[in-house]
Amino acid sequence: MRDNGVRLEKILLTHAHIDHAGGAAELADSLKLPIVGPHRGDQFWIDGMPEQARMFGFGRCERFTPDQWLEDGDHVQLGDIDFEVRHCPGHTPGHVVFYSAADRVAFVGDVLFAGSIGRTDFPGGDYDTLIRAIREKLFSWGRRALRARARPHVDVRRGTTQQPFCGDG
């Protein structure tokens, strides 16, 4: 990072599943960075981080307390980019999405995938809540040219027609 002139400012978390937040405590400590997010609804996932690590065969993962919990409508500044926070529960109770209107990009974590949605069968997950969050918080962007940074990329312009789970509902 230093060789490329990159300066890290903070650690942004969309949610607290181990594959997204398992290294947050160690990374924040070693790099002296604040942890921002997720929403408080994921506190139980953070509290259970060491157990998740053992259960899934990860190395040591520590509990942490975010320096900033996020709420729907909050804004997070990263460099010169302003991200609006949208609370999108369902995959986890505290899942958030980071949306930059100026750059027409969103980082959606595990809420939405091309042709699919995030799992809802883990503790705290809820299918109906996730579908409502997608319809009300993500599809509300309309059919603008917006690409959500998910795996694989999602084109929200065609989101409702490409989402067998969400439909045009």
PDB file of all heavy atoms in Angstrom, residues 141-166:
ATOM      1  N   TRP A 141     -33.373   3.358  -6.064  1.00  0.00           N
ATOM      2  CA  TRP A 141     -32.463   4.152  -6.879  1.00  0.00           C
ATOM      3  C   TRP A 141     -32.993   4.276  -8.294  1.00  0.00           C
ATOM      4  O   TRP A 141     -32.498   5.067  -9.081  1.00  0.00           O
ATOM      5  CB  TRP A 141     -31.065   3.532  -6.910  1.00  0.00           C
ATOM      6  CG  TRP A 141     -30.382   3.552  -5.586  1.00  0.00           C
ATOM      7  CD1 TRP A 141     -30.410   4.563  -4.678  1.00  0.00           C
ATOM      8  CD2 TRP A 141     -29.571   2.531  -5.025  1.00  0.00           C
ATOM      9  NE1 TRP A 141     -29.665   4.219  -3.575  1.00  0.00           N
ATOM     10  CE2 TRP A 141     -29.138   2.982  -3.764  1.00  0.00           C
ATOM     11  CE3 TRP A 141     -29.165   1.279  -5.461  1.00  0.00           C
ATOM     12  CZ2 TRP A 141     -28.320   2.233  -2.938  1.00  0.00           C
ATOM     13  CZ3 TRP A 141     -28.348   0.527  -4.635  1.00  0.00           C
ATOM     14  CH2 TRP A 141     -27.941   0.998  -3.392  1.00  0.00           C
ATOM     15  N   GLY A 142     -33.966   3.478  -8.635  1.00  0.00           N
ATOM     16  CA  GLY A 142     -34.545   3.527  -9.965  1.00  0.00           C
ATOM     17  C   GLY A 142     -33.642   2.868 -10.976  1.00  0.00           C
ATOM     18  O   GLY A 142     -32.728   2.126 -10.645  1.00  0.00           O
ATOM     19  N   ARG A 143     -33.908   3.149 -12.199  1.00  0.00           N
ATOM     20  CA  ARG A 143     -33.174   2.496 -13.285  1.00  0.00           C
ATOM     21  C   ARG A 143     -32.029   3.370 -13.784  1.00  0.00           C
ATOM     22  O   ARG A 143     -31.748   3.443 -14.960  1.00  0.00           O
ATOM     23  CB  ARG A 143     -34.126   2.111 -14.407  1.00  0.00           C
ATOM     24  CG  ARG A 143     -35.145   1.104 -13.928  1.00  0.00           C
ATOM     25  CD  ARG A 143     -35.957   0.581 -15.086  1.00  0.00           C
ATOM     26  NE  ARG A 143     -36.925  -0.376 -14.611  1.00  0.00           N
ATOM     27  CZ  ARG A 143     -36.687  -1.671 -14.441  1.00  0.00           C
ATOM     28  NH1 ARG A 143     -35.511  -2.165 -14.706  1.00  0.00           N
ATOM     29  NH2 ARG A 143     -37.624  -2.469 -14.007  1.00  0.00           N
ATOM     30  N   ARG A 144     -31.410   4.049 -12.833  1.00  0.00           N
ATOM     31  CA  ARG A 144     -30.218   4.827 -13.160  1.00  0.00           C
ATOM     32  C   ARG A 144     -29.064   3.891 -13.457  1.00  0.00           C
ATOM     33  O   ARG A 144     -29.066   2.739 -13.050  1.00  0.00           O
ATOM     34  CB  ARG A 144     -29.828   5.708 -11.979  1.00  0.00           C
ATOM     35  CG  ARG A 144     -30.798   6.829 -11.747  1.00  0.00           C
ATOM     36  CD  ARG A 144     -30.325   7.620 -10.582  1.00  0.00           C
ATOM     37  NE  ARG A 144     -30.984   7.054  -9.411  1.00  0.00           N
ATOM     38  CZ  ARG A 144     -30.919   7.582  -8.214  1.00  0.00           C
ATOM     39  NH1 ARG A 144     -30.206   8.637  -8.001  1.00  0.00           N
ATOM     40  NH2 ARG A 144     -31.556   7.036  -7.216  1.00  0.00           N
ATOM     41  N   ALA A 145     -28.050   4.414 -14.108  1.00  0.00           N
ATOM     42  CA  ALA A 145     -26.853   3.617 -14.385  1.00  0.00           C
ATOM     43  C   ALA A 145     -26.054   3.497 -13.095  1.00  0.00           C
ATOM     44  O   ALA A 145     -25.224   4.326 -12.785  1.00  0.00           O
ATOM     45  CB  ALA A 145     -26.024   4.274 -15.480  1.00  0.00           C
ATOM     46  N   LEU A 146     -26.351   2.485 -12.353  1.00  0.00           N
ATOM     47  CA  LEU A 146     -25.673   2.264 -11.092  1.00  0.00           C
ATOM     48  C   LEU A 146     -25.253   0.813 -11.040  1.00  0.00           C
ATOM     49  O   LEU A 146     -26.036  -0.073 -11.329  1.00  0.00           O
ATOM     50  CB  LEU A 146     -26.616   2.556  -9.915  1.00  0.00           C
ATOM     51  CG  LEU A 146     -26.001   2.356  -8.534  1.00  0.00           C
ATOM     52  CD1 LEU A 146     -26.523   3.413  -7.593  1.00  0.00           C
ATOM     53  CD2 LEU A 146     -26.303   0.989  -7.999  1.00  0.00           C
ATOM     54  N   ARG A 147     -23.994   0.599 -10.700  1.00  0.00           N
ATOM     55  CA  ARG A 147     -23.511  -0.776 -10.556  1.00  0.00           C
ATOM     56  C   ARG A 147     -23.149  -0.998  -9.099  1.00  0.00           C
ATOM     57  O   ARG A 147     -22.340  -0.280  -8.547  1.00  0.00           O
ATOM     58  CB  ARG A 147     -22.314  -1.028 -11.463  1.00  0.00           C
ATOM     59  CG  ARG A 147     -22.723  -1.024 -12.926  1.00  0.00           C
ATOM     60  CD  ARG A 147     -21.570  -1.257 -13.852  1.00  0.00           C
ATOM     61  NE  ARG A 147     -20.798  -2.437 -13.561  1.00  0.00           N
ATOM     62  CZ  ARG A 147     -21.079  -3.673 -13.995  1.00  0.00           C
ATOM     63  NH1 ARG A 147     -22.151  -3.883 -14.715  1.00  0.00           N
ATOM     64  NH2 ARG A 147     -20.284  -4.678 -13.729  1.00  0.00           N
ATOM     65  N   ALA A 148     -23.795  -1.972  -8.520  1.00  0.00           N
ATOM     66  CA  ALA A 148     -23.502  -2.322  -7.140  1.00  0.00           C
ATOM     67  C   ALA A 148     -22.259  -3.195  -7.129  1.00  0.00           C
ATOM     68  O   ALA A 148     -22.137  -4.112  -7.932  1.00  0.00           O
ATOM     69  CB  ALA A 148     -24.688  -3.060  -6.526  1.00  0.00           C
ATOM     70  N   ARG A 149     -21.359  -2.890  -6.245  1.00  0.00           N
ATOM     71  CA  ARG A 149     -20.121  -3.659  -6.148  1.00  0.00           C
ATOM     72  C   ARG A 149     -20.382  -4.915  -5.317  1.00  0.00           C
ATOM     73  O   ARG A 149     -20.225  -4.932  -4.118  1.00  0.00           O
ATOM     74  CB  ARG A 149     -19.006  -2.826  -5.529  1.00  0.00           C
ATOM     75  CG  ARG A 149     -18.658  -1.619  -6.360  1.00  0.00           C
ATOM     76  CD  ARG A 149     -18.126  -2.043  -7.715  1.00  0.00           C
ATOM     77  NE  ARG A 149     -17.704  -0.870  -8.445  1.00  0.00           N
ATOM     78  CZ  ARG A 149     -17.798  -0.757  -9.744  1.00  0.00           C
ATOM     79  NH1 ARG A 149     -18.303  -1.716 -10.473  1.00  0.00           N
ATOM     80  NH2 ARG A 149     -17.386   0.320 -10.346  1.00  0.00           N
ATOM     81  N   ALA A 150     -20.813  -5.928  -5.994  1.00  0.00           N
ATOM     82  CA  ALA A 150     -21.065  -7.231  -5.380  1.00  0.00           C
ATOM     83  C   ALA A 150     -20.395  -8.267  -6.251  1.00  0.00           C
ATOM     84  O   ALA A 150     -19.820  -7.941  -7.288  1.00  0.00           O
ATOM     85  CB  ALA A 150     -22.571  -7.489  -5.296  1.00  0.00           C
ATOM     86  N   ARG A 151     -20.465  -9.505  -5.837  1.00  0.00           N
ATOM     87  CA  ARG A 151     -19.871 -10.585  -6.623  1.00  0.00           C
ATOM     88  C   ARG A 151     -20.976 -11.409  -7.232  1.00  0.00           C
ATOM     89  O   ARG A 151     -21.715 -12.041  -6.492  1.00  0.00           O
ATOM     90  CB  ARG A 151     -19.020 -11.481  -5.721  1.00  0.00           C
ATOM     91  CG  ARG A 151     -17.911 -10.748  -5.044  1.00  0.00           C
ATOM     92  CD  ARG A 151     -17.299 -11.610  -3.951  1.00  0.00           C
ATOM     93  NE  ARG A 151     -18.248 -12.156  -3.024  1.00  0.00           N
ATOM     94  CZ  ARG A 151     -18.630 -11.564  -1.908  1.00  0.00           C
ATOM     95  NH1 ARG A 151     -18.158 -10.391  -1.594  1.00  0.00           N
ATOM     96  NH2 ARG A 151     -19.473 -12.131  -1.100  1.00  0.00           N
ATOM     97  N   PRO A 152     -21.137 -11.495  -8.527  1.00  0.00           N
ATOM     98  CA  PRO A 152     -20.589 -10.607  -9.552  1.00  0.00           C
ATOM     99  C   PRO A 152     -21.309  -9.261  -9.521  1.00  0.00           C
ATOM    100  O   PRO A 152     -22.267  -9.095  -8.794  1.00  0.00           O
ATOM    101  CB  PRO A 152     -20.880 -11.367 -10.847  1.00  0.00           C
ATOM    102  CG  PRO A 152     -22.092 -12.178 -10.553  1.00  0.00           C
ATOM    103  CD  PRO A 152     -21.993 -12.542  -9.083  1.00  0.00           C
ATOM    104  N   HIS A 153     -20.856  -8.322 -10.353  1.00  0.00           N
ATOM    105  CA  HIS A 153     -21.454  -6.988 -10.356  1.00  0.00           C
ATOM    106  C   HIS A 153     -22.939  -7.061 -10.666  1.00  0.00           C
ATOM    107  O   HIS A 153     -23.387  -7.891 -11.442  1.00  0.00           O
ATOM    108  CB  HIS A 153     -20.763  -6.081 -11.373  1.00  0.00           C
ATOM    109  CG  HIS A 153     -19.348  -5.783 -11.011  1.00  0.00           C
ATOM    110  ND1 HIS A 153     -19.000  -5.206  -9.819  1.00  0.00           N
ATOM    111  CD2 HIS A 153     -18.197  -6.015 -11.667  1.00  0.00           C
ATOM    112  CE1 HIS A 153     -17.684  -5.081  -9.771  1.00  0.00           C
ATOM    113  NE2 HIS A 153     -17.176  -5.574 -10.875  1.00  0.00           N
ATOM    114  N   VAL A 154     -23.691  -6.187 -10.051  1.00  0.00           N
ATOM    115  CA  VAL A 154     -25.133  -6.120 -10.224  1.00  0.00           C
ATOM    116  C   VAL A 154     -25.457  -4.789 -10.870  1.00  0.00           C
ATOM    117  O   VAL A 154     -25.019  -3.744 -10.406  1.00  0.00           O
ATOM    118  CB  VAL A 154     -25.856  -6.206  -8.857  1.00  0.00           C
ATOM    119  CG1 VAL A 154     -27.351  -6.038  -9.038  1.00  0.00           C
ATOM    120  CG2 VAL A 154     -25.522  -7.514  -8.167  1.00  0.00           C
ATOM    121  N   ASP A 155     -26.229  -4.821 -11.931  1.00  0.00           N
ATOM    122  CA  ASP A 155     -26.700  -3.603 -12.575  1.00  0.00           C
ATOM    123  C   ASP A 155     -28.107  -3.338 -12.060  1.00  0.00           C
ATOM    124  O   ASP A 155     -29.051  -4.035 -12.418  1.00  0.00           O
ATOM    125  CB  ASP A 155     -26.697  -3.794 -14.097  1.00  0.00           C
ATOM    126  CG  ASP A 155     -27.006  -2.510 -14.845  1.00  0.00           C
ATOM    127  OD1 ASP A 155     -27.630  -1.608 -14.253  1.00  0.00           O
ATOM    128  OD2 ASP A 155     -26.633  -2.424 -16.016  1.00  0.00           O
ATOM    129  N   VAL A 156     -28.242  -2.361 -11.165  1.00  0.00           N
ATOM    130  CA  VAL A 156     -29.523  -2.102 -10.527  1.00  0.00           C
ATOM    131  C   VAL A 156     -30.542  -1.585 -11.535  1.00  0.00           C
ATOM    132  O   VAL A 156     -31.739  -1.709 -11.326  1.00  0.00           O
ATOM    133  CB  VAL A 156     -29.352  -1.146  -9.325  1.00  0.00           C
ATOM    134  CG1 VAL A 156     -30.682  -0.798  -8.696  1.00  0.00           C
ATOM    135  CG2 VAL A 156     -28.437  -1.786  -8.295  1.00  0.00           C
ATOM    136  N   ARG A 157     -30.098  -1.063 -12.666  1.00  0.00           N
ATOM    137  CA  ARG A 157     -31.044  -0.637 -13.695  1.00  0.00           C
ATOM    138  C   ARG A 157     -31.933  -1.787 -14.124  1.00  0.00           C
ATOM    139  O   ARG A 157     -33.079  -1.613 -14.463  1.00  0.00           O
ATOM    140  CB  ARG A 157     -30.320  -0.104 -14.931  1.00  0.00           C
ATOM    141  CG  ARG A 157     -29.621   1.214 -14.717  1.00  0.00           C
ATOM    142  CD  ARG A 157     -28.848   1.575 -15.950  1.00  0.00           C
ATOM    143  NE  ARG A 157     -27.819   0.555 -16.154  1.00  0.00           N
ATOM    144  CZ  ARG A 157     -27.010   0.515 -17.199  1.00  0.00           C
ATOM    145  NH1 ARG A 157     -27.109   1.406 -18.146  1.00  0.00           N
ATOM    146  NH2 ARG A 157     -26.097  -0.416 -17.300  1.00  0.00           N
ATOM    147  N   ARG A 158     -31.355  -2.988 -14.131  1.00  0.00           N
ATOM    148  CA  ARG A 158     -32.120  -4.166 -14.533  1.00  0.00           C
ATOM    149  C   ARG A 158     -32.402  -5.059 -13.341  1.00  0.00           C
ATOM    150  O   ARG A 158     -32.850  -6.182 -13.508  1.00  0.00           O
ATOM    151  CB  ARG A 158     -31.331  -4.944 -15.583  1.00  0.00           C
ATOM    152  CG  ARG A 158     -31.193  -4.151 -16.877  1.00  0.00           C
ATOM    153  CD  ARG A 158     -30.342  -4.883 -17.848  1.00  0.00           C
ATOM    154  NE  ARG A 158     -28.993  -4.941 -17.287  1.00  0.00           N
ATOM    155  CZ  ARG A 158     -27.964  -5.473 -17.899  1.00  0.00           C
ATOM    156  NH1 ARG A 158     -28.096  -6.019 -19.068  1.00  0.00           N
ATOM    157  NH2 ARG A 158     -26.775  -5.492 -17.336  1.00  0.00           N
ATOM    158  N   GLY A 159     -32.177  -4.538 -12.159  1.00  0.00           N
ATOM    159  CA  GLY A 159     -32.305  -5.354 -10.951  1.00  0.00           C
ATOM    160  C   GLY A 159     -33.636  -6.041 -10.787  1.00  0.00           C
ATOM    161  O   GLY A 159     -33.705  -7.216 -10.466  1.00  0.00           O
ATOM    162  N   THR A 160     -34.717  -5.309 -11.007  1.00  0.00           N
ATOM    163  CA  THR A 160     -36.016  -5.915 -10.750  1.00  0.00           C
ATOM    164  C   THR A 160     -36.346  -6.987 -11.769  1.00  0.00           C
ATOM    165  O   THR A 160     -37.038  -7.939 -11.457  1.00  0.00           O
ATOM    166  CB  THR A 160     -37.134  -4.854 -10.742  1.00  0.00           C
ATOM    167  OG1 THR A 160     -37.127  -4.161 -11.981  1.00  0.00           O
ATOM    168  CG2 THR A 160     -36.949  -3.880  -9.601  1.00  0.00           C
ATOM    169  N   THR A 161     -35.835  -6.864 -12.976  1.00  0.00           N
ATOM    170  CA  THR A 161     -36.146  -7.885 -13.975  1.00  0.00           C
ATOM    171  C   THR A 161     -35.193  -9.058 -13.894  1.00  0.00           C
ATOM    172  O   THR A 161     -35.497 -10.122 -14.403  1.00  0.00           O
ATOM    173  CB  THR A 161     -36.093  -7.289 -15.401  1.00  0.00           C
ATOM    174  OG1 THR A 161     -34.794  -6.756 -15.634  1.00  0.00           O
ATOM    175  CG2 THR A 161     -37.139  -6.204 -15.571  1.00  0.00           C
ATOM    176  N   GLN A 162     -34.044  -8.882 -13.264  1.00  0.00           N
ATOM    177  CA  GLN A 162     -33.067  -9.958 -13.145  1.00  0.00           C
ATOM    178  C   GLN A 162     -33.146 -10.656 -11.794  1.00  0.00           C
ATOM    179  O   GLN A 162     -32.384 -11.553 -11.531  1.00  0.00           O
ATOM    180  CB  GLN A 162     -31.647  -9.416 -13.323  1.00  0.00           C
ATOM    181  CG  GLN A 162     -31.369  -8.928 -14.712  1.00  0.00           C
ATOM    182  CD  GLN A 162     -29.952  -8.362 -14.815  1.00  0.00           C
ATOM    183  OE1 GLN A 162     -29.355  -7.970 -13.828  1.00  0.00           O
ATOM    184  NE2 GLN A 162     -29.425  -8.334 -16.016  1.00  0.00           N
ATOM    185  N   GLN A 163     -34.048 -10.245 -10.938  1.00  0.00           N
ATOM    186  CA  GLN A 163     -34.134 -10.787  -9.591  1.00  0.00           C
ATOM    187  C   GLN A 163     -35.341 -11.701  -9.446  1.00  0.00           C
ATOM    188  O   GLN A 163     -36.450 -11.229  -9.202  1.00  0.00           O
ATOM    189  CB  GLN A 163     -34.208  -9.661  -8.562  1.00  0.00           C
ATOM    190  CG  GLN A 163     -32.903  -9.021  -8.251  1.00  0.00           C
ATOM    191  CD  GLN A 163     -31.922  -9.988  -7.646  1.00  0.00           C
ATOM    192  OE1 GLN A 163     -32.280 -10.962  -7.019  1.00  0.00           O
ATOM    193  NE2 GLN A 163     -30.648  -9.752  -7.868  1.00  0.00           N
ATOM    194  N   PRO A 164     -35.143 -13.008  -9.593  1.00  0.00           N
ATOM    195  CA  PRO A 164     -36.275 -13.905  -9.441  1.00  0.00           C
ATOM    196  C   PRO A 164     -36.851 -13.872  -8.024  1.00  0.00           C
ATOM    197  O   PRO A 164     -38.002 -14.216  -7.807  1.00  0.00           O
ATOM    198  CB  PRO A 164     -35.677 -15.274  -9.756  1.00  0.00           C
ATOM    199  CG  PRO A 164     -34.220 -15.134  -9.526  1.00  0.00           C
ATOM    200  CD  PRO A 164     -33.890 -13.716  -9.852  1.00  0.00           C
ATOM    201  N   PHE A 165     -36.063 -13.408  -7.045  1.00  0.00           N
ATOM    202  CA  PHE A 165     -36.533 -13.364  -5.673  1.00  0.00           C
ATOM    203  C   PHE A 165     -37.370 -12.124  -5.393  1.00  0.00           C
ATOM    204  O   PHE A 165     -38.221 -12.131  -4.525  1.00  0.00           O
ATOM    205  CB  PHE A 165     -35.346 -13.380  -4.696  1.00  0.00           C
ATOM    206  CG  PHE A 165     -34.572 -14.655  -4.730  1.00  0.00           C
ATOM    207  CD1 PHE A 165     -33.456 -14.786  -5.534  1.00  0.00           C
ATOM    208  CD2 PHE A 165     -34.972 -15.736  -3.971  1.00  0.00           C
ATOM    209  CE1 PHE A 165     -32.746 -15.963  -5.566  1.00  0.00           C
ATOM    210  CE2 PHE A 165     -34.267 -16.934  -4.006  1.00  0.00           C
ATOM    211  CZ  PHE A 165     -33.150 -17.047  -4.806  1.00  0.00           C
ATOM    212  N   CYS A 166     -37.085 -11.041  -6.114  1.00  0.00           N
ATOM    213  CA  CYS A 166     -37.716  -9.760  -5.787  1.00  0.00           C
ATOM    214  C   CYS A 166     -38.821  -9.368  -6.746  1.00  0.00           C
ATOM    215  O   CYS A 166     -39.707  -8.619  -6.391  1.00  0.00           O
ATOM    216  CB  CYS A 166     -36.654  -8.649  -5.764  1.00  0.00           C
ATOM    217  SG  CYS A 166     -35.349  -8.972  -4.586  1.00  0.00           S
TER     218      CYS A 166
END
